[in-house]
């Protein structure tokens, strides 16, 4: 938490990130001013970014097609939740071990293996669907297989960004990665909706499998000599425990991770929520489901681009964004019409992305590069791995009590978690809550506690 008004919430760059020499490349020097697309000037990152543009569109197409296929085969929101749970269960079980391996291995060869395995899984699911042989357990197996690849792929991709651009461009590159992923969300669900209603879900899976050609090509074309070398962790005992101790001993790492754990487990289960609202509440079908995802993506892109312009990641911004995100979910749960619900997807996407990018950036900038794989694995394990716990629960609540109750409950958890953790961080940072008026409007903020004056000796 910020130590005072206007101070950066994220700590200064770790001392292990030594200051660059005066003649170091621009990507290795902290930028004094923030340019929205500055990291794209780096050739290796540009190749990475362009490959992800294509692959992310395929990923979103598969997500929509997978959720709708399961709902079509079973008619159950709980089954959609089970699919989501299986996809993220490997991260929950093995995420920390994946982080240990990522810290030991070179990132680019690791990504070549993980991306290839996900491509083959998508193509196999496409063949089963297009031949009419697909059953729900096939989708479950495919989701679990993708989850296994993600155990290595997610921390490798997250930590590889710093090798591509260096510490000076890390904030910008992380934000642009999020904008990239969410921009694809504008295209992928729309195309998936057309394919599902026009020719069937199998072609969405096929497109996703072929889309991995783009990032694989980008990885192969990168210049190894232009990567920012990060010392790999040597093989040794106790590295898993070392990573956990490293995180738990730093409030600026552990409490944001705890917060996104609650938010990711209960409030980010949109495959369950949005499919239920489209099918059961508004009776509007796959087209409405795609529209909800597209509008949420528009807000997410705006949130990511705004983050790209910010020079620092403040933890107080994280707390405020998480509270706003939860409050908007509660509001959306009460909306009477489809169009009111759809319009709320835009601010939901904006604040949800603000939570995501702020947490990701502050954690990476606060972490020793040699520990980054383990720390990011723990972050992704908590954020994504909470879904195996949360998705079946919110799916059951949605099936039993209705979609509105399920969404409102998820939002309430986010608001409560943000409030409690905000107070904890304020206490750790020796801050107090200040309530007053500024410019004729109420103003609530955290300010440093005044030091107690020692009474003079008698």
């Amino acid at each position: 938490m910020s130590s005072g008004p206007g101070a950066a919430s994220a700590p200064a760059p770790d001392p292990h990130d030594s200051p660059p020499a005066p003649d170091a490349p621009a990507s290795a020097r902290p930028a004094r001013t923030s340019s929205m697309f500055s990291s794209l000037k780096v050739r290796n990152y540009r190749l990475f970014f362009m490959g992800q543009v294509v692959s992310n569109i395929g990923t979103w197409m598969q997500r929509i097609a997978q959720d709708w296929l399961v709902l079509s085969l079973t008619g159950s929101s709980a089954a959609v939740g089970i699919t989501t749970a299986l996809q993220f269960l490997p991260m929950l079980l093995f995420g920390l071990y994946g982080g240990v391996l990522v810290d030991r291995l070179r990132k680019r060869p690791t990504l070549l293996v993980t991306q290839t395995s996900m491509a083959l899984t998508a193509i196999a699911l496409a063949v089963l669907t297009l031949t009419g042989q697909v059953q729900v357990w096939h989708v479950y197996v495919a989701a679990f297989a993708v989850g296994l690849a993600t155990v290595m792929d997610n921390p490798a991709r997250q930590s590889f960004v710093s090798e591509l651009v260096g510490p000076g461009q890390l904030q910008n590159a992380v934000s642009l990665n999020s904008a990239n992923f969410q921009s694809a969300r504008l295209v992928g669900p729309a195309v998936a909706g057309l394919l599902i209603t026009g020719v069937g879900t199998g072609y969405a899976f096929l497109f996703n499998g072929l889309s991995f050609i783009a990032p694989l090509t980008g990885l192969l074309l990168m210049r190894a000599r232009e990567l920012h070398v990060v010392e790999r962790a040597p093989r040794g005992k106790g590295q898993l425990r070392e990573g956990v101790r490293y995180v738990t001993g730093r409030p600026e790492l552990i409490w944001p991770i705890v917060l996104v754990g609650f938010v990711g487990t209960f409030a980010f289960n949109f495959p369950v929520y949005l499919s239920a609202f489209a099918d059961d509440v508004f009776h509007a079908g796959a087209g409405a489901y795609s529209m909800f995802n597209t509008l949420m993506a528009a807000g997410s892109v705006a949130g990511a681009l705004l983050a790209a312009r910010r020079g620092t990641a403040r933890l107080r911004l994280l707390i405020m964004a998480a509270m706003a995100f939860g409050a908007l979910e509660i509001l959306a749960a009460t909306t009477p019409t489809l169009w009111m619900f759809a319009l709320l997807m835009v601010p939901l996407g904006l604040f949800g992305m603000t939570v995501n990018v702020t947490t990701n950036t502050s954690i990476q900038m606060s972490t020793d590069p040699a520990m980054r794989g383990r720390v990011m694995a723990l972050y992704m394990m908590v954020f994504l791995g909470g879904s195996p716990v949360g998705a079946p629960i919110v799916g059951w609540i949605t099936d039993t009590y209705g979609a509105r109750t399920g969404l409102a409950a998820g939002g309430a958890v986010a608001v409560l978690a943000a409030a409690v953790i905000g107070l904890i961080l304020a206490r750790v940072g020796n801050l107090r809550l200040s309530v007053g008026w500024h410019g004729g409007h109420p103003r609530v903020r955290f300010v440093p506690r005044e030091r107690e004056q020692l009474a003079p000796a008698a």
Side-chain angles (χ1 to χ4, degrees):
M1 177 66 74
S2 171
S3 59
S9 296
D14 193 271
H16 293 274
D17 285 330
S18 55
D23 59 347
S27 60
R29 297 195 299 266
R32 292 188 178 182
T33 58
S34 178
S35 172
M36 187 175 290
F37 303 104
S38 58
S39 55
L40 289 176
K41 297 175 183 177
V42 181
R43 180 183 180 275
N44 281 344
Y45 179 73
R46 192 163 59 246
L47 287 169
F48 179 82
F49 184 91
M50 292 171 64
Q52 292 299 309
V53 168
V54 179
S55 180
N56 286 336
I57 291 174
T59 296
W60 278 112
M61 290 177 64
Q62 173 144 335
R63 285 192 179 190
I64 300 300
Q66 175 181 279
D67 296 339
W68 200 256
L69 176 61
V70 171
L71 194 63
S72 300
L73 291 172
T74 65
S76 169
S77 294
V80 177
I82 291 171
T83 307
T84 303
L86 287 171
Q87 186 159 332
F88 297 121
L89 180 62
M91 180 64 73
L92 180 63
L93 296 177
F94 312 117
L96 287 177
Y97 295 98
V100 170
L101 291 175
V102 165
D103 277 338
R104 293 176 182 172
L105 301 172
R106 289 186 299 159
K107 308 299 186 296
R108 188 161 60 143
T110 301
L111 289 171
L112 286 169
V113 173
T114 57
Q115 298 274 295
T116 300
S117 65
M118 287 190 283
L120 295 175
T121 301
I123 291 173
L125 191 56
V127 171
L128 287 169
T129 307
L130 290 172
T131 58
Q133 303 298 315
V134 69
Q135 299 178 35
V136 69
W137 71 267
H138 293 143
V139 186
Y140 288 165
V141 171
F144 189 77
V146 170
L148 285 174
T150 302
V151 168
M152 295 285 291
D153 187 79
N154 257 333
R157 276 191 298 109
Q158 298 284 345
S159 55
F160 188 47
V161 173
S162 64
E163 296 187 24
L164 292 170
V165 301
Q169 297 286 354
L170 182 59
Q171 160 88 12
N172 182 261
V174 169
S175 300
L176 288 184
N177 278 353
S178 299
N180 185 337
F181 187 69
Q182 298 301 328
S183 297
R185 191 175 180 180
L186 290 170
V187 179
V191 177
L194 292 174
L195 288 177
I196 291 170
T197 56
V199 294
T201 57
Y203 288 97
F205 300 137
L206 180 61
F207 182 95
N208 182 46
L210 297 177
S211 73
F212 283 96
I213 295 173
L216 290 171
T217 302
L219 288 167
L220 292 172
L221 291 176
M222 288 179 185
R223 296 170 182 164
R225 65 181 181 276
E226 295 179 7
L227 294 174
H228 294 256
V229 179
V230 173
E231 183 179 355
R232 284 181 281 158
R235 185 182 298 272
K237 294 183 178 180
Q239 290 179 323
L240 185 61
R241 291 191 298 273
E242 180 187 8
V244 174
R245 283 197 303 269
Y246 181 86
V247 172
T248 55
R250 289 164 172 77
E252 72 274 13
L253 295 178
I254 184 61
W255 290 114
I257 290 175
V258 171
L259 175 57
V260 298
F262 279 104
V263 174
T265 299
F266 297 103
F268 262 90
N269 277 288
F270 289 109
V272 177
Y273 296 138
L274 299 188
S275 61
F277 267 85
D279 195 45
D280 300 330
V281 177
F282 298 120
H283 309 289
Y289 182 47
S290 295
M291 179 182 66
F292 295 156
N293 279 277
T294 301
L295 289 171
M296 183 173 288
S300 299
V301 170
L305 291 177
L306 287 173
R309 293 185 63 88
R310 287 194 292 268
T312 57
R314 302 174 184 270
L315 293 184
R316 67 183 177 188
L317 175 63
L318 170 62
I319 299 299
M320 293 170 61
M323 293 188 72
F325 177 75
L328 283 167
E329 285 200 336
I330 296 172
L331 179 61
T334 66
T335 54
T337 65
L338 183 148
W339 291 110
M340 290 178 64
F341 182 84
L343 289 175
L344 283 174
M345 295 300 102
V346 177
L348 264 173
L350 189 151
F351 283 105
M353 181 51 55
T354 301
V355 171
N356 191 353
V357 172
T358 303
T359 307
N360 191 317
T361 305
S362 65
I363 289 174
Q364 290 213 47
M365 294 179 70
S366 305
T367 302
D368 181 343
M371 300 290 296
R372 196 165 279 150
R374 278 164 282 182
V375 173
M376 294 310 296
L378 178 61
Y379 162 63
M380 298 306 297
M381 184 190 76
V382 172
F383 183 55
L384 299 179
S387 292
V389 177
I393 294 174
V394 300
W396 175 80
I397 294 173
T398 299
D399 280 342
T400 306
Y401 300 102
R404 296 186 185 277
T405 301
L407 182 59
V413 170
V415 171
L416 182 61
V420 171
I421 292 173
L423 291 173
I424 292 172
L425 286 171
R427 184 177 180 85
V428 170
N430 197 31
L431 304 175
R432 64 177 179 83
L433 184 67
S434 172
V435 181
W437 289 84
H438 179 75
H441 300 285
R443 184 178 186 181
V444 180
R445 58 179 180 156
F446 286 103
V447 298
R449 293 181 182 274
E450 296 179 1
R451 294 182 179 179
E452 297 180 0
Q453 300 296 326
L454 296 177

